[in-house]
Amino acid sequence: MVEKMENIRVILANNIKELRRKCGFSQDRLAEIAGISSQYLATIETCRKFPTPEVLDRLAAALEIETHELFAASASPQMELKKLHNEVLADLDRAINEAVGKAIKEQYKFNRNG
């Protein structure tokens, strides 16, 4: 259960940072608009604090989004790249195993007939 809470914190922190940057806000500016301290915003963005529902609402309003959008678990480019990397490795592993299997069968046939 603790692991899921950490994941929620990470998702929230990453989304706030990404949305803040897309809006062109510094931490100081977003904090000012949301009516919180920049130090508190920094602790949210580094997963050390989890904001109250009221603070979540103010951050969402400052970022001009709905509050629930702060928790959208979109895959980061790094995660997509890692997923693609793993898929390529799996495909390569299958291709190698298939080629080795064919080579062994051919060698077996050659040795039996030879």
Side-chain angles (χ1 to χ4, degrees):
M1 188 68 155
V2 171
E3 184 177 328
K4 287 186 180 183
M5 263 315 245
E6 289 174 354
N7 288 336
I8 289 171
R9 286 180 188 228
V10 170
I11 290 168
L12 176 66
N14 289 338
N15 286 345
I16 290 173
K17 280 187 269 193
E18 183 178 325
L19 291 164
R20 174 176 59 75
R21 290 176 181 152
K22 282 183 181 177
C23 289
F25 295 152
S26 64
Q27 281 184 337
D28 290 334
R29 182 67 181 136
L30 178 58
E32 179 184 337
I33 296 168
I36 60 175
S37 74
S38 56
Q39 292 83 8
Y40 182 51
L41 179 57
T43 63
I44 294 169
E45 287 189 0
T46 56
C47 302
R48 291 180 287 162
K49 297 269 184 177
F50 195 82
T52 64
E54 294 79 18
V55 170
L56 289 169
D57 287 340
R58 292 193 308 223
L59 286 168
L63 295 165
E64 298 181 356
I65 60 168
E66 297 292 324
T67 305
H68 67 88
E69 293 177 82
L70 292 171
F71 297 97
S74 60
S76 68
Q78 292 85 2
M79 292 298 287
E80 288 297 323
L81 187 58
K82 185 174 183 176
K83 180 181 171 187
L84 180 60
H85 174 80
N86 289 337
E87 289 172 4
V88 168
L89 286 178
D91 288 346
L92 185 58
D93 190 47
R94 278 191 295 274
I96 290 170
N97 285 333
E98 188 177 301
V100 168
K102 284 182 181 179
I104 290 172
K105 284 181 185 177
E106 290 297 318
Q107 185 65 35
Y108 178 73
K109 285 180 187 177
F110 178 78
N111 287 339
R112 275 186 66 192
N113 294 331

